[in-house]
């Protein structure tokens, strides 16, 4: 009974964590404050970013990443002329950025998205119905986020396995070298023991030849 009560207490908390609620926000891009839709997920930023990329890949689009040491928009993903029917009947440039929710929350991330058409931010002029479509699109990323997070966990475990196997091979190599050195040491000890016995015998033999008074 206590386990059941504990489970029921945890269930609402899990539901809140698992479900996302997109909201309107702003983000700096192209030296301007851009109206955007944001959504938070309790997963690492890499999982959330990979999930969005996978969603767009299924629609046939690959991102171009903003790069460059002096580029203030570094890290933004741009999907040029993308046709996402769940959001709009028009081809738009989908611009996305994923950030850690905070320095203390490594496993929580925020995704910001806005769309451009002819260098104009579409979000800023959207009505409530269209904004809700964008929010719904982002709220429904959970299956892809969970799948992406699973792949990251598999990758991390495979890397850990590879490192563990590498370390084991190194230790086994050290063991072989130690065994070789130990064998040489025992052989040398045996030789020295025989040498010592030989010296003792020689000394005794020589002492026996001493003239007695």
């Amino acid at each position: 009974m206590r386990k059941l009560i504990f489970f029921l207490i945890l269930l609402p908390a899990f539901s809140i964590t698992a479900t996302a609620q997109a909201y309107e926000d702003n983000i700096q891009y192209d030296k301007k404050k851009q109206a955007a839709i944001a959504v938070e997920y309790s997963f690492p930023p890499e999982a959330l970013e990979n999930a969005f990329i996978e969603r767009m890949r299924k629609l046939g689009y690959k991102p171009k990443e903003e790069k460059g040491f002096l580029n203030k928009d570094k890290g933004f993903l741009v999907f040029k002329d993308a046709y996402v029917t769940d959001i709009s009947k028009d081809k738009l440039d989908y611009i996305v950025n994923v950030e850690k929710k905070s320095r203390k929350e490594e496993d929580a991330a925020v995704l910001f998205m806005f769309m451009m058409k002819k260098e104009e931010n579409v979000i800023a002029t959207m009505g409530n119905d269209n904004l809700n479509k964008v929010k719904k699109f982002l709220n429904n990323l959970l299956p892809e986020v969970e799948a992406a997070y699973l792949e990251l966990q598999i990758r991390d475990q495979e890397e850990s396995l590879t490192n563990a196997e590498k370390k084991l091979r190194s230790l086994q190599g050290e063991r072989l070298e130690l065994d070789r050195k130990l064998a040489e040491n025992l052989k040398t000890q045996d030789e020295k023991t025989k040498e010592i016995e030989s010296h003792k015998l020689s000394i005794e033999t020589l002492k026996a030849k001493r003239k007695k008074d």
Side-chain angles (χ1 to χ4, degrees):
M1 183 66 181
R2 289 182 178 178
K3 290 183 179 180
L4 178 59
I5 293 172
F6 182 71
F7 175 77
L8 291 174
I9 292 172
L10 285 181
L11 186 58
F14 175 79
S15 300
I16 292 170
T17 301
T19 57
Q21 293 296 321
Y23 54 92
E24 296 172 42
D25 205 334
N26 295 287
I27 190 169
Q28 195 77 14
Y29 180 79
D30 193 24
K31 299 179 181 180
K32 300 175 185 177
K33 182 183 286 187
Q34 303 285 354
I37 302 298
V39 66
E40 298 178 8
Y41 280 95
S42 297
F43 290 89
E46 189 176 0
L48 184 51
E49 182 173 290
N50 289 351
F52 190 89
I53 291 173
E54 177 62 16
R55 171 69 70 89
M56 296 299 285
R57 185 195 68 78
K58 291 176 181 177
L59 297 174
Y61 303 103
K62 292 182 179 180
K64 177 184 177 182
E65 183 177 358
E66 294 277 8
K67 296 181 179 180
F69 182 71
L70 298 177
N71 187 354
K72 292 185 178 180
D73 298 329
K74 184 179 180 180
F76 277 80
L77 303 177
V78 181
F79 298 82
K80 296 285 291 184
D81 293 325
Y83 188 47
V84 183
T85 56
D86 288 343
I87 293 177
S88 174
K89 296 178 180 179
D90 299 326
K91 283 189 174 182
L92 304 170
D93 294 342
Y94 286 77
I95 302 171
V96 172
N97 182 250
V98 179
E99 303 174 354
K100 285 191 299 185
K101 186 176 179 181
S102 68
R103 291 181 179 179
K104 294 181 179 180
E105 296 177 273
E106 296 287 339
D107 292 331
V110 183
L111 182 148
F112 296 87
M113 183 181 79
F114 60 95
M115 293 85 76
M116 303 283 284
K117 185 176 183 180
K118 295 180 181 179
E119 299 184 359
E120 292 294 327
N121 188 326
V122 176
I123 292 289
T125 58
M126 273 186 168
N128 288 332
D129 288 345
N130 288 329
L131 285 174
N132 288 333
K133 287 181 181 179
V134 180
K135 292 175 183 178
K136 183 178 179 181
F137 182 83
L138 296 179
N139 287 336
N140 291 337
L141 278 174
L142 182 59
E144 284 93 343
V145 176
E146 290 176 332
Y149 183 54
L150 176 61
E151 291 304 314
L152 291 178
Q153 289 177 306
I154 292 171
R155 182 198 68 185
D156 290 345
Q157 287 299 315
E158 288 176 341
E159 289 179 355
S160 296
L161 172 62
T162 299
N163 292 335
E165 290 175 336
K166 183 178 179 181
K167 181 62 176 179
L168 177 61
R169 287 193 296 272
S170 176
L171 291 171
Q172 289 173 333
E174 290 178 10
R175 170 64 186 275
L176 290 173
E177 180 63 17
L178 289 172
D179 286 344
R180 184 188 66 78
K181 289 182 177 181
L182 178 60
E184 288 183 356
N185 182 279
L186 292 173
K187 180 181 178 182
T188 302
Q189 285 187 54
D190 185 58
E191 290 173 350
K192 289 300 177 183
T193 299
K194 291 178 180 179
E195 182 181 343
I196 289 169
E197 292 300 322
S198 177
H199 286 312
K200 286 181 178 180
L201 181 60
S202 295
I203 291 171
E204 292 300 322
T205 300
L206 291 171
K207 284 183 177 180
K209 291 181 181 181
R210 282 175 176 167
K211 292 182 179 179
K212 294 181 180 180
D213 292 335

